[in-house]
Amino acid sequence: MSTKTIHVGRDVRAELQRRAAELRSTFAGRGTLVVNVVSSPGAGKTSLLQATARWWGGRRRMAVLVGDLATDRDAQRLAPLCPVEQLTTGGACHLEIPLLERGLERLVSHQGVDLEGLEFLFVENVGNLVCPASHDLAEHLRVVLLSATEGDDKPGKYPKMFRTADALVITKIDLLPHVPFSVEAAAEDARRIRPDVEVLSVSPLTGEGVPEWCAYLEHRRRLLVGAPAVADGREEERPSDPVDAGLPR
Amino acid sequence: MHETSLVAALLRQVARLAREHRAAAVEEIRVEMGPLSGVERPLIELAFAELADGTVCRGARLRVEEVPLEAVCCDCGARFEIQRFRFRCRRCDSPRLEVLRGDAFRLVDVVLRTHDVADSGCGAVPRAEERSGWSVGGRRSGCDDGIVRRGRSERDAERRS
Ligand SMILES: Nc1nc2c(ncn2[C@@H]2O[C@H](COP(=O)(O)OP(=O)(O)OP(=O)(O)O)[C@@H](O)[C@H]2O)c(=O)[nH]1
Ligand SMILES: [Mg+2]
Ligand SMILES: [Zn+2]
C-alpha cells in the first residue's frame, strides 16, 4: 500500500456553477433576463411578483418559478397573473440548478411557455437569507428583499447574501411610519458590503415604487440584450391608477 | 442547512477520484473555507460524519482549513484582508475589489491509499478542469471595468462587453 495525493483546488459547487453559467448564457442569447428573488420568509417576494405582473399587465412576457418547502400556495397566487410553476424542494432550504431545470421543462410542457420569446424569468427562492446565497441559479440579477418590519441592521448580519445581491429592495414601505426602520441606514449597511448595490423601495400593497422597480428590470434587460434605451413615451401604456399594481384587498 | 447537500457533493467528487485512481481507501480530504463561503464549519463536520459512512470515504480524515477573506484592489493593487465585511480598499478606499480567497468552499486535495500495482494510466491524468483549477468568483477576469466584479454581476458584465 502507498499513498497518493490528488490536487483538485476547485469549489465543491464548480460543476453546478458551470451548468448555471451555461444556462445563463443560453437565456442571455434569447433575451431573457433571469432574476433570482431572495429574502427571509414573508418579506413579500410573491407579493412583489404579483404587483409586477399586474403593472405590466401582459405587456411584458414573464414567467415565474417559485420554490417552496411543501406547498403550492405561492404558485396559486401567481397563476391568474402569469405562467408559473412550483418547485417543491421537499424540505430543502434553497433551490439548486437541477430543480430549476426541471421547472423550466414544466413551464414549457404544462404552461405552454415559449422560452425563446420570454423576456423575464423570475425565480422566487425559498425564504431564507443564508443558504440561497451560495447557490447560483443562472440568474443575471440577484435581488434581495428586506421588509420594513425586519430591521435596518440586517445586511451586515447576512453578509454573503447582501454581498452577492445586485439590488436591495426595501419592501412594505407603507409600514415605515409604524416601525423603527431607516431606509438610509439599511442602504448604507448594504453598501458597506456591496458598494455598487442598487437600492429601491416598494410597497406591493399600495403600489408605491412598483413602476420604478419595473423600470429598473426593463433597464437591466436592455443592458443584457444590448439594446439602446427606449425613449420615454411608455407612460401611456401604464395603468392610470397606481393602486392597480397593488395587492387585492 | 445546506451543508448536507454540499458534503454529499464533496463525497461524490472524492468517490469519483478514488475510482479513477483505483484507490483502496481515502485517507484524508482537505477542504478550504472562509468567512464568505456560506458554510459553517461545525455543520460541515457533522454532515461529513453522518454521510461518509457507507462510502469509500468511511474512516477518512476531513481537514477543514479556514482562510481569511482576502482581496486585491483594482485601482491601486493593494492586497489586504477584508475585516468585518467592509468591501473597500484599505489603502485608497476604492470599492473595486477582487476577492482572492475566503469566499469559496473548495476541495483542495485528497490523499488516497492505493494498491502497489503499476498504475494502468486509466484516469490517472486529471481532467482539464481539474488541472486548470478554475474556481468560484471569476478570478480569471481581473478588474478591467468600472463594476465591482463578483459572481453573477461579473459574468453579466462580461457578456455585455
Ligand atoms: N403592509 C404590507 N404588507 C405586505 C406588503 N407586501 C406583502 N405584505 C404581506 O406580507 C405577507 C407575506 O407576503 P408574501 O408575499 O407571501 O411574502 P414571501 O416573501 O413571498 O413569503 P414566503 O414565500 O413565504 O417566504 C403577506 O401577508 C402579505 O400580504 C406590503 O407592501 N405592505
Ligand atoms: Mg412567497
Ligand atoms: Zn486601492
Side-chain angles (χ1 to χ4, degrees):
Chain A
M1 286 283 187
S2 60
T3 64
K4 170 156 142 189
T5 301
I6 312 297
H7 178 74
V8 181
R10 184 164 50 129
D11 199 285
V12 171
R13 291 156 284 206
E15 176 54 24
L16 287 176
Q17 285 162 353
R18 189 191 58 75
R19 271 163 77 179
E22 245 175 56
L23 199 55
R24 180 168 26 253
S25 68
T26 302
F27 275 116
R30 293 174 181 149
T32 309
L33 183 81
V34 182
V35 186
N36 183 359
V37 184
V38 292
S39 79
S40 60
K45 298 178 292 297
T46 308
S47 303
L48 181 61
L49 294 177
Q50 288 175 289
T52 305
R54 282 207 185 84
W55 176 255
W56 278 337
R59 282 177 290 115
R60 294 285 168 263
R61 287 183 299 274
M62 65 175 274
V64 179
L65 291 174
V66 51
D68 199 292
L69 297 175
T71 76
D72 67 348
R73 288 178 189 171
D74 289 357
Q76 283 184 20
R77 284 163 62 190
L78 286 158
L81 298 164
C82 64
V84 56
E85 276 291 328
Q86 184 77 37
L87 308 177
T88 307
T89 65
C93 49
H94 63 281
L95 295 176
E96 288 188 20
I97 278 286
L99 203 56
L100 185 94
E101 289 170 337
R102 282 203 290 282
L104 282 171
E105 283 165 19
R106 286 205 310 269
L107 269 182
V108 175
S109 59
H110 294 26
Q111 307 295 327
V113 169
D114 169 20
L115 292 179
E116 293 295 331
L118 197 62
E119 291 169 292
F120 296 92
L121 174 69
F122 295 93
V123 184
E124 177 179 334
N125 220 309
V126 178
N128 177 343
L129 282 176
V130 184
C131 309
S134 294
H135 299 272
D136 187 341
L137 294 182
E139 70 264 31
H140 303 105
L141 190 66
R142 183 176 289 190
V143 177
V144 60
L145 271 52
L146 177 61
S147 59
T149 51
E150 290 170 71
D152 52 25
D153 62 340
K154 292 302 168 286
K157 295 182 69 175
Y158 299 92
K160 178 137 186 141
M161 182 58 87
F162 285 85
R163 173 67 189 167
T164 58
D166 305 289
L168 162 63
V169 177
I170 315 270
T171 60
K172 309 192 189 181
I173 55 170
D174 55 290
L175 297 176
L176 285 175
H178 312 290
V179 290
F181 184 101
S182 156
V183 171
E184 212 17 73
E188 199 181 301
D189 203 28
R191 288 196 187 102
R192 207 171 57 87
I193 300 170
R194 174 74 187 242
D196 66 340
V197 70
E198 182 80 23
V199 181
L200 295 125
S201 307
V202 298
S203 168
L205 186 67
T206 66
E208 192 182 349
V210 172
E212 290 79 4
W213 152 251
C214 290
Y216 170 68
L217 292 173
E218 295 185 13
H219 164 71
R220 289 300 302 232
R221 180 169 173 274
R222 282 195 298 274
L223 290 180
L224 180 75
V225 300
V230 293
D232 296 339
R234 291 238 326 288
E235 223 51 51
E236 69 273 15
E237 295 177 19
R238 291 176 173 167
S240 49
D241 179 3
V243 177
D244 284 357
L247 295 176
R249 296 312 134 90
Chain B
M1 146 166 177
H2 67 147
E3 279 81 353
T4 311
S5 71
L6 289 176
V7 169
L10 174 73
L11 291 172
R12 279 195 301 273
Q13 287 166 30
V14 174
R16 201 182 59 206
L17 286 174
R19 242 188 346 267
E20 283 172 3
H21 292 271
R22 298 164 180 265
V26 179
E27 284 213 336
E28 183 176 286
I29 301 166
R30 197 150 62 96
V31 295
E32 179 195 282
M33 59 168 283
L36 220 55
S37 302
V39 294
E40 295 299 324
R41 183 188 184 129
L43 298 180
I44 289 292
E45 289 169 344
L46 192 70
F48 183 80
E50 276 175 15
L51 298 178
D53 252 7
T55 76
V56 68
C57 300
R58 179 187 181 150
R61 188 166 53 246
L62 179 71
R63 260 177 59 199
V64 182
E65 283 182 11
E66 292 188 50
V67 298
L69 189 57
E70 273 177 15
V72 60
C73 174
C74 300
D75 287 320
C76 78
R79 278 181 79 132
F80 55 93
E81 181 183 342
I82 293 175
Q83 279 163 347
R84 294 185 296 114
F85 302 110
R86 184 181 181 276
F87 280 83
R88 292 233 173 225
C89 176
R90 288 261 282 275
R91 194 197 288 161
C92 75
D93 206 43
S94 167
R96 305 196 320 121
L97 308 178
E98 190 193 340
V99 173
L100 297 173
R101 59 179 192 152
D103 65 345
F105 178 52
R106 195 171 286 146
L107 172 55
V108 180
D109 55 30
V110 181
V111 181
L112 302 175
R113 204 172 328 130
T114 52
H115 301 288
D116 278 327
V117 288
D119 203 305
S120 67
C122 170
V125 179
R127 298 175 329 156
E129 72 259 35
E130 280 163 11
R131 265 178 280 131
S132 64
W134 53 261
S135 64
V136 68
R139 304 245 305 264
R140 287 162 293 119
S141 38
C143 319
D144 53 4
D145 65 15
I147 295 168
V148 175
R149 313 193 105 211
R150 211 191 150 274
R152 64 217 46 74
S153 59
E154 172 197 336
R155 286 183 292 264
D156 198 350
E158 272 172 2
R159 248 190 334 283
R160 290 202 302 271
S161 58

